Amino acid sequence: MLKAKKLSRAILVGHKNLLDQVVEILHDLNCVHIEDFTEENDMFSIGKPAEVASAASNKLIKLRSLSNFLGIKPKYSDNLLNEESVLTHFDANLDELDSAVSALLDKRIVLENESKSIETNIKDLLPLSLFPLSVEMYLGYRSLSVRAGYIQGNQTDIEKELKGVTTKCDISFALYNKAQFMILFVPVEHINTIAEILDKYHFAEHHISELTGNPGKLLAGFNNRRDDIQAELKSIEEGIIGLQSRYSDFVLASDEILSITTQKAEAPLRFATSESTFIIDCWIPDDQFEHASKVIEERFNHLVYFTELDINKEKIKVETIPVEYDNPKSVKPLETIMDLYSRPVYNEIDPSAIIFITFPLFYGIMLGDIGYGFVLLTLGLIGKAKIKSEGLKPLATLLIYCSISTLIFGILFAEIFGFHLFGHHSIVTELFGEHSAMGEIFYNFHALPIIERLGKEDIPIILLATALIGTLHLNLGFILGFRNEAISHGIVKAVLAKLSWIVLQFGIAIIILSALGYIPVIGNTLGAIVAVIGVVMLIAGEGGAGILELPSIVSNTLSYTRLAAVGLSSVGIAFAVNEIVTGMLFPQGGLFILLGILVLIVGHTVNTVLGVVAPGLHALRLQYVEFFTKFYHGGGRKFNPFGYTRKYTEEK
């Protein structure tokens, strides 16, 4: 906790005849992070993949193509398939699935192309159906030119101008889709003059299909065929769903087996090899190093040379060491928050355990309501039970943590969906009566709330308290930064760059206490001297840039007052909803009571959604922007063990 898991670097050297067996052992261990060999020289080159790599890779590509077509998604499965059984029937099942998919795909392509052609013909025929002529009568003339299309302008003016060129023309108009459609038959010798007139009226040519028959009857036929195609496409989609259901387990299991096969077969591409030997450069966690060493020695009886390298003597850059978190199970969900930002480098503090406390704490301070806490707790528990994705499950657990914190602060604030729980504003007292047994208990219980968030006297206290929380949080960051700097650049640099900020704040605190009269007036001078010492230390540690950072300590501290502001907005919305319902709707009785209940449900649902999003984002911002910038750099490489965690198959 607070540190990455300790790793050791190891080198495996052996004869190439043993390479496949070594790959199998390392894959089964599933605790070895292999470093890719990239610097080829006269003696060593990158290894070649096993012969099965190409065939397995091709099958995997084909399988995933079929899987994408069927829309098969990863899922949780209790029914693990036997690997040998899957492989026995793999080729037959894959061919059968490929044939079925190809038949459906080919048929769908043909139908979709026909559908597009029909849509085009329908589009062409619709305006022509307004006229009495058959389609073939618009085409095939030598002495006549037929122009059909949309035109703007007064029909009489258009007709007058066209007739002015030649009286041997036939003009017809119709209204289609609120636009004026025109068909013109005119001798070809006048076509250029006619074209100039049509351009004047913004004529847009309409395509005439090479069809024969009455447009209306053709349209009816195309519409009927379009309906048939839609029915056939729907049948194909049902066929796809059937294949998806039938082959889902086979596809997922085969994908897993082929992925493992490909992973093993392509492993030599990461090794250095000579004519007769191989070298594997890798990292192994210290707590598994002895086991890995023992397995390799027992399996190969010293035929494979396995040795641990001294990290310090090898002068390995710490940034290149892969990082594996080392946190208890309860802290694991917060690693998702860390990875969203950046994984720590190997010798850097891992703040997962710290934000395990501060993230839910800040969330609870902001939302702090018993009712919303129970809602979030319910959502979190449902999410944890239903969500199978390893990537999303931590978020459900994190929601549970935040809901517990929200419940605790809800009790301290004595709020339930914005109603007061205790005191003279108690909702219980109002419901049961001030002099009832239940009402008296809640009316006379004065220990809670510790703070009334909408009370005028308490708001300054909340703002001051959140600023104080910010000060403590920021200084924790400076202390962690001191540790990181001391390890990376020495104790002097750590004191000047990080402790200088604490010295500066200490000086300012003395001045403020003196100004408020809590300590003698000489505190002003003493505080100023301490603050100046802090600034000098800062300049010595950070250079001139440190001066530019000075205002940030104030802005960062004030940023924590958002804990109060977001909380006030949340309780303010809840209070407003309650006032509308209890003060305006319920007293009118009848249907207004039902309307009031509806407003309560909608209002608090919206506030719950806001309560999930806003406190989460602001709590995250305080970690990333204010806290991490005091000590954290990140940029670490993820420890990626060579191996595979099976989900759909088992070996027997």
Side-chain angles (χ1 to χ4, degrees), residues 495-553:
V495 169
L496 295 176
K498 298 300 176 184
L499 290 190
S500 57
W501 286 101
I502 298 177
V503 173
L504 173 62
Q505 292 175 72
F506 185 61
I508 294 172
I510 293 174
I511 295 173
I512 293 173
L513 290 174
S514 177
L516 295 174
Y518 290 104
I519 59 176
V521 179
I522 194 172
N524 283 328
T525 306
L526 181 61
I529 293 172
V530 174
V532 169
I533 292 173
V535 172
V536 172
M537 290 171 62
L538 180 63
I539 295 173
E542 300 282 357
I547 297 294
L548 299 176
E549 291 293 323
L550 280 175
S552 69
I553 193 65

Side-chain angles (χ1 to χ4, degrees), residues 425-461:
H425 293 308
S426 168
I427 182 64
V428 180
T429 301
E430 291 185 12
L431 289 174
F432 291 92
E434 184 178 335
H435 300 294
S436 66
M438 184 71 76
E440 286 186 357
I441 292 173
F442 284 83
Y443 181 85
N444 294 316
F445 191 85
H446 295 299
L448 297 175
I450 59 168
I451 285 178
E452 189 173 334
R453 289 197 288 179
L454 289 182
K456 292 181 180 177
E457 298 80 10
D458 288 347
I459 289 178
I461 297 175

Side-chain angles (χ1 to χ4, degrees), residues 134-136 209-215 218:
S134 297
V135 182
E136 67 269 19
S209 301
E210 294 182 355
L211 301 170
T212 58
N214 180 272
L218 288 171

Side-chain angles (χ1 to χ4, degrees), residues 310-351:
D310 187 316
I311 296 178
N312 295 323
K313 286 184 179 178
E314 294 293 327
K315 296 182 179 178
I316 297 170
K317 290 183 179 179
V318 71
E319 294 82 5
T320 65
I321 303 175
V323 175
E324 172 75 327
Y325 289 114
D326 189 17
N327 292 308
K329 186 177 178 181
S330 57
V331 179
K332 288 287 181 187
L334 276 303
E335 292 173 0
T336 303
I337 300 293
M338 289 305 307
D339 284 338
L340 284 174
Y341 188 83
S342 180
R343 188 167 286 225
V345 294
Y346 185 69
N347 64 348
E348 196 173 23
I349 285 281
D350 168 20

Side-chain angles (χ1 to χ4, degrees), residues 9-24:
R9 191 166 189 175
I11 295 291
L12 283 85
V13 182
H15 195 278
K16 287 176 74 173
N17 290 339
L18 300 173
L19 183 56
D20 291 344
Q21 298 175 50
V22 171
V23 169
E24 286 289 341

